[in-house]
């Protein structure tokens, strides 16, 4: 059977700040600039969730995209949407919520929730002009 | 001379929450749902700043769009970009930072900074699927 | 209070064909070309639902956009999404489902479901390069 | 019959420079900056051509959008697409090809080619972040 | 010579339904939900056709994108645009027209029509939020 | 540490023509069509600059995207934005400024300016429907 990648795009929005508590305030301001604002700022995040596998002869699907959407809503969006990543989300207790780290953490959570035979990669936009891709390496 | 509308699209991102301090916590949760999160959430805002006026025979411009961009950066973006609207921005001390009110406040500030003979309207996207228009009435 | 327009963008997809049963097959082929295919074709429709009114001092809203979304889902999307407009939707029994007429019919249904003090207009995309606007005149 | 606006989006790309030959080189450099480059620069232009009129009960159309596309291709795109606006296009012999003036000139040409009972307006993007609207006043 | 990938984006719209005739009606409804509507629904499809090869020193092209567009129009769009995939297109007589299978079938047809030294991959959007990628494995 | 790709999208616009001076005028017209216009035409170019590397545990970054933007502005945009590629840019003295070659040249310049441990790839849109990808092979 042919192998395809299928993608479902999802949306969440959240507040965050970039801050490394092991470094000085001066280091944080110099490194992160406006993104270090102690009162937080925020973004609309768009995430492409892509799974790769064989097309089923029975359904014509690699995976039912409504099922992929439901899993993503349960595993990721229910925790991150309309949240403050630094304050509300335990995943970022010891992890700086940069767009790179958000993608890595979402990938690990989705990886554990998806069938092992499907490869997984994510593309996460933080703004319309910045995005990150991660596929688990 | 012909009258045209010219638009410059600008971007900022910010944290906010929707909360009316004159109402009970229960009223706020019921009215605003997830947008009432006390720890804030955030958005990428895209704003179309539109001015209408006569095309100059000398320049071919209604207004130099680089100048419109600079005014918008000075008057609006320098205050709102990477800010917490509720905490960092005095404009919202007594105004709930709904997308409607953000548009109204930005319009008033830009109105005061632009030549009186140019009409002004704004379109402000809070997410890729929600936006507000305001032209001063 | 200031008057704003607030917009919620919604999505549906549907099959249709353009055919006027009072005209000959020849007239229909000449008038509608490929859009007259008797076996139907289809589109992803994106619709901007815009209501205009005063911003409430209590909520900061013209109208709760989640409520506008729910009304649109109940009144319009539940009938049109994943449907064959010609066959499944009684609204088009005697109305040709051109993008103009889809917009007019959706406007009438939404008009009846929305508070009378809010003005209503729709923008309906049939493809990324074609759209219709209607505000009830 | 209801009155709708229907829009067809078209594309052209072109070279131009902004230069007023009645002014000094110094005035031109100060006024237009990089847009005054004597060797030209260029853009992808996207234009929304919008006509407003009554929906026909016979066809369901305000106007056949394929016909609107063909008229726009004949009247506008055949002259501007892949052209140097300053050098190749007589319309700009004595008119500075600012985005405002391009919109005004296209409007006049399309106005003369379209049925008088249909109102006409244009929206012309010069970049993804700048656009002009003109409706003939 | 350097190896690049060049892409031409094309558009078609079509009606379809998802239905496996070897399974029961109950299985089909449970598996496909609204997409099983016996009267069909439809989509605007956007397809990125990407070929990879060496840049010619003589032309600066991997392949003339106008030629790639013409081949795609002849091989794919002439058959799928404004069609009912289940009824009008023999390719889907025994193949369920899921977005995965549409991509696989288009890939095979384009593969046979393109020079063997150019690698081919497709990205096919079924809605603005769902897409499939296929490169022939 | 996990390896991510991070992308910054940048914009420039420019005039160019496609012309191979070693070939006859007839060959050039036949090969390039309208793109051979001796008076030039132009485009808005959007370029995704993507670097791949390990996420730093100290900053949460693969690379500071503001730094990537500054390098891209200095190395590429300062030379190409609002320029005539054939006339103003020495890189294209002996290279035809096709979108393929623009991508290859930008890649080489950026490669020399970026840390060696970061992999680099570019995606360059010449119009909203055409783009090239290059990663240095």
């Amino acid at each position: 059977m042919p192998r395809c990648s299928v993608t479902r795009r999802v949306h969440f929005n959240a507040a965050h700040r970039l801050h490394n508590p092991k470094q000085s305030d001066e280091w944080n301001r110099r490194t992160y600039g406006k993104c270090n604002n102690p009162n937080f700022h925020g973004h609309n995040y768009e995430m492409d969730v892509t799974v790769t596998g064989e097309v089923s002869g029975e359904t014509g699907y690699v995976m039912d995209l409504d099922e992929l959407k439901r899993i993503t809503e349960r595993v990721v969006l229910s925790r991150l949407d309309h949240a403050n990543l630094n304050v509300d989300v335990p995943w970022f207790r010891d992890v700086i919520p940069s767009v790179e780290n958000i993608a890595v953490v979402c990938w690990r959570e989705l990886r554990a929730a998806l069938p092992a035979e499907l490869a997984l990669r994510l593309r996460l936009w933080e703004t319309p002009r910045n995005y990150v891709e991660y596929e688990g390496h």
Side-chain angles (χ1 to χ4, degrees), chain A residues 53-125:
Chain A
E54 287 195 3
V55 180
S56 158
E58 191 181 42
T59 61
Y61 285 165
V62 168
M63 180 181 180
D64 180 344
L65 285 177
D66 277 340
E67 173 70 1
L68 181 57
K69 183 186 173 196
R70 277 191 298 270
I71 291 171
T72 305
E73 287 174 341
R74 177 170 53 80
V75 171
V76 172
L77 303 189
S78 68
R79 285 160 174 144
L80 303 189
D81 189 35
H82 283 76
N84 183 312
L85 302 181
N86 304 65
V87 177
D88 295 328
V89 185
W91 298 341
F92 300 106
R93 188 153 303 157
D94 300 310
V95 174
I96 300 162
S98 65
V99 61
E100 289 92 334
N101 281 335
I102 302 171
V104 169
V105 165
C106 289
W107 188 92
R108 288 177 183 160
E109 297 292 322
L110 283 165
R111 178 66 285 172
L114 288 167
E117 69 271 23
L118 298 176
L120 173 66
R121 64 183 147 93
L122 300 182
R123 180 183 282 198
L124 180 61
W125 274 265

Side-chain angles (χ1 to χ4, degrees), chain A residues 5 10 18 28-29 34 38 43-44 48 53 64 69 79 88 96-98 100 110 116 120 123 127 131 137:
Chain A
S5 297
V10 298
L18 300 182
N28 275 287
R29 275 192 300 270
K34 290 183 294 184
H43 297 288
N44 299 321
D48 281 10
D64 180 344
K69 183 186 173 196
R79 285 160 174 144
D88 295 328
I96 300 162
S98 65
E100 289 92 334
L110 283 165
L120 173 66
R123 180 183 282 198
T127 76
Y131 60 83
H137 302 314

